[in-house]
């Protein structure tokens, strides 16, 4: 009888420490937040959100490798949560693992095809690697799900421009501007000689 009730009590205590970690992190006490998440994990070693949240705090403190280890564990426990892959991709970028970063954004999109951040991050990562055609495609896929997002049009316009498609870039910047993107307004003078 105690086995069930003791396990139930441990899970309740683990949730308490996870919530404590969230509160401490929000208050800016990152080191104590890490301790609270660690306690939650000690009480429930299968607590994927405690690993994830601890990874977020570690990443915010600049410990990208430690964050990746926690994201890895969260993904091992629950491989069906897109945000875990997205944040691991961001951390991988910070340590120079660009192919790993791109893979993680693809995984996030595979899990949740309407996860905006993954499209934006994928497009930016490919752009940074000068893979402009792929970047434009990633932004375009995002646009198919978020047709009113000015940032995706802006990013695709940059990628199209770099790949030699000035007309397509101008179409995107005009659309981005119409949707309210101020950065796109700055690029519109480059489009004065483009056909409408």
């Amino acid at each position: 009888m105690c086995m069930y009730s003791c396990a139930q009590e441990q899970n309740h205590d683990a949730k308490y420490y996870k919530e404590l970690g969230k509160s401490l992190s929000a208050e800016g006490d990152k080191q104590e937040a890490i301790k609270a998440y660690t306690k939650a994990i000690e009480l429930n070693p299968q607590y994927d959100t405690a690993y994830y949240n601890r990874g977020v705090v570690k990443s915010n403190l600049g410990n990208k490798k430690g964050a990746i280890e926690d994201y890895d564990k969260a993904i091992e426990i629950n491989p069906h949560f897109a945000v875990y892959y997205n944040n691991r991709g961001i951390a991988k970028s910070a340590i120079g693992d660009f192919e790993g970063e791109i893979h993680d954004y693809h995984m996030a999109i595979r899990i949740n095809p309407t996860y905006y951040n993954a499209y934006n991050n994928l497009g930016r990562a490919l752009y940074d690697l000068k893979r402009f055609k792929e970047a434009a495609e990633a932004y375009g896929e995002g646009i198919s799900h978020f047709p009113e997002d000015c940032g995706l049009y802006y990013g695709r316009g940059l990628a199209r421009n770099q790949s030699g498609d000035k007309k397509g870039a101008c179409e995107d910047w005009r659309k981005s501007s119409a949707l309210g993107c101020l950065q796109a307004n700055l690029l519109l003078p480059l489009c004065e000689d483009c056909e409408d």
Side-chain angles (χ1 to χ4, degrees), residues 8-155:
Q8 199 173 26
E9 186 176 322
Q10 276 188 317
N11 285 337
H12 177 75
D13 290 345
K15 185 173 182 180
Y16 165 79
Y17 282 104
K18 183 198 70 140
E19 293 302 319
L20 176 63
K22 284 172 66 175
S23 295
L24 290 165
S25 181
E27 293 169 7
D29 195 346
K30 306 295 188 193
Q31 293 301 333
E32 289 301 313
I34 287 174
K35 289 178 186 175
Y37 290 131
T38 300
K39 182 66 176 173
I41 291 164
E42 287 170 5
L43 291 167
N44 179 358
Q46 296 301 305
Y47 207 167
D48 58 305
T49 56
Y51 282 105
Y52 169 75
N53 289 345
R54 188 173 71 176
V56 169
V57 174
K58 286 179 179 180
S59 184
N60 290 338
L61 289 171
N63 180 2
K64 303 302 183 184
K65 288 184 179 179
I68 290 168
E69 289 171 5
D70 280 344
Y71 297 145
D72 286 346
K73 188 64 178 174
I75 289 167
E76 178 185 317
I77 295 166
N78 180 2
H80 307 292
F81 201 36
V83 72
Y84 294 175
Y85 292 93
N86 184 70
N87 280 28
R88 187 174 71 176
I90 293 168
K92 285 180 176 180
S93 174
I95 65 166
D97 179 5
F98 303 118
E99 291 305 318
E101 172 192 16
I102 289 168
H103 175 266
D104 279 348
Y105 299 145
H106 280 295
M107 288 298 296
I109 291 166
R110 186 174 302 140
I111 291 165
N112 182 356
T114 60
Y115 186 37
Y116 170 81
N117 289 342
Y119 289 108
N120 197 45
N121 289 336
L122 177 60
R124 180 213 29 88
L126 291 164
Y127 184 92
D128 289 348
L129 292 173
K130 301 186 183 333
R131 292 162 57 178
F132 302 121
K133 187 175 185 313
E134 291 174 78
E137 290 168 0
Y139 285 121
E141 190 177 343
I143 288 167
S144 72
H145 295 285
F146 304 97
E148 299 300 312
D149 184 84
C150 68
L152 293 170
Y153 285 100
Y154 176 77

Side-chain angles (χ1 to χ4, degrees), residues 160-161 164-171 173 190-194:
R160 283 177 158 180
N161 189 54
D165 180 7
K166 186 173 180 183
K167 183 178 179 189
C170 289
E171 289 171 3
W173 292 334
L190 300 175
C191 298
E192 290 174 359
D193 60 342
C194 280

